[in-house]
Amino acid sequence: MNSNTRTIINLNTWERAKSYEFYKNFINPQVCITAEVECTAAYEDCKENKRSFFRKYVYAILRSVNDIKELKYRIEVKDGEEQIVLYDKISLLTPVKINSSGEFTTIKVPYHLTFEKFNAVMDEIMDGVDKEVSEPYYQEEESDKRGFCDVVLVSALPDLHFTSISPTQSYSHGSRKPIINVGKAVMKEGKMMMPIAIAFHHGLCDGFHISSFYSKVEEYLKNL
């Protein structure tokens, strides 16, 4: 049973209805933006205290997504018809490596307001991951089967500092949830800078909301 609060949007009164109607029939209504965020404080703290930098930045990303209403809209299909849904909370869907040969699986981590709680829950989930049998897309497939899109996909490329990336699309008309990729943090002019790419359906949010997303991620990384 899905316990997440889920509101079906009335397109007759929705403030984004005109934007959605304009973009929904595009061959590709998906936009991908890549920008760098400063992560010096979080990176140095993790290095000094032997903590997981990955967990800090995926938490900062997840919290920023949950702060922005437009990044919590989803396109879902019922009886062959699209409907717009707003979720109260968005969970993290992320691939994690399970062995030295590069095999991975995907885990789903519920959103929690504090990093401490989020980190503790992720510990529990990782303890239960099967290190012998890789089912990389199990959680994504389960999400599709349930028909709910209350997740954001965040993938890490820790060995590559990229300047742009083109993500895959779940459907010909774009993905129904944001797809985020994070690259390698590198030193630039005395600051650690990390590229983050986010792909989103332009009918659901605009550049203004994406700019806010990047600002929030950077702020959370400074203060975690």
Side-chain angles (χ1 to χ4, degrees), residues 20-32:
Y20 171 67
E21 291 294 332
F22 180 77
Y23 286 108
K24 75 173 186 178
N25 292 320
F26 276 33
I27 294 174
N28 180 17
Q30 186 165 277
V31 177
C32 185

Side-chain angles (χ1 to χ4, degrees), residues 5 10 19 21 73-74 94 104 110 134 137 147 155 169 190 202 205:
T5 302
N10 183 342
S19 292
E21 291 294 332
Y73 286 124
R74 296 292 182 268
T94 187
F104 69 94
S134 175
Y137 304 110
S155 298
Q169 293 184 189
H202 206 347
C205 64

